[in-house]
């Protein structure tokens, strides 16, 4: 997943190249989609059946540095990070459908879409299933 949303692209351009500053989000939430969003939003987020976005807040223990590992500042050359811990969603109490994409937001509901991307393999989540992103599965590439 490496697609920046229009929102975050605009914030970064204004912060780096223009006069506006941008305060990074204090909270990040992983969301699952049965119809992929685009950079401008949309898509169909899973709802019902005990679904809830899962927090994976900015921290050195939650996200790998660009050179790998969870200590020290990023110094790698790949411009990439990924989740350093598992992200486990609640057990589905109803069918969620086929999850085809995920996104990162700055709020548990609503909020601003920051990043989005399609899954390499779609996953059908039925009653009793539990979605999980193992450590390293949520790749963010800045290129």
């Amino acid at each position: 997943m490496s697609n920046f949303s229009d929102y975050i692209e605009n914030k970064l351009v204004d912060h780096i190249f223009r006069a506006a500053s941008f305060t990074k989000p204090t909270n990040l939430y992983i969301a699952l989609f049965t119809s992929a969003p685009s950079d401008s939003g949309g898509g169909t987020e899973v709802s019902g059946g005990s679904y809830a976005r899962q927090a994976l807040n900015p921290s050195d223990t939650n996200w790998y540095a660009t050179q790998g590992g969870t200590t020290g500042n990023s110094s790698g050359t790949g411009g990439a990070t990924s989740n350093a811990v598992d992200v486990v969603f609640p057990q589905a109490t109803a069918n969620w459908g086929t999850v085809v994409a995920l996104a990162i937001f700055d709020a548990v509901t609503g909020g601003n879409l920051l990043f989005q991307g399609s899954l390499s393999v779609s996953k059908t989540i039925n009653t009793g299933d539990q979605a999980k992103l193992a450590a390293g599965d949520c790749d963010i590439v800045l290129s």
Side-chain angles (χ1 to χ4, degrees), residues 60-71:
D60 289 352
T61 56
N62 284 344
W63 296 93
Y64 289 119
T66 58
Q67 74 278 9
T70 56
T71 59

Side-chain angles (χ1 to χ4, degrees), residues 52-55 85-91 96 130-134:
R53 292 179 184 173
Q54 295 302 294
V85 297
D86 293 348
V87 178
V88 181
F89 288 81
Q91 185 175 29
W96 290 0
Q130 190 165 31
K132 173 183 165 182
L133 296 171

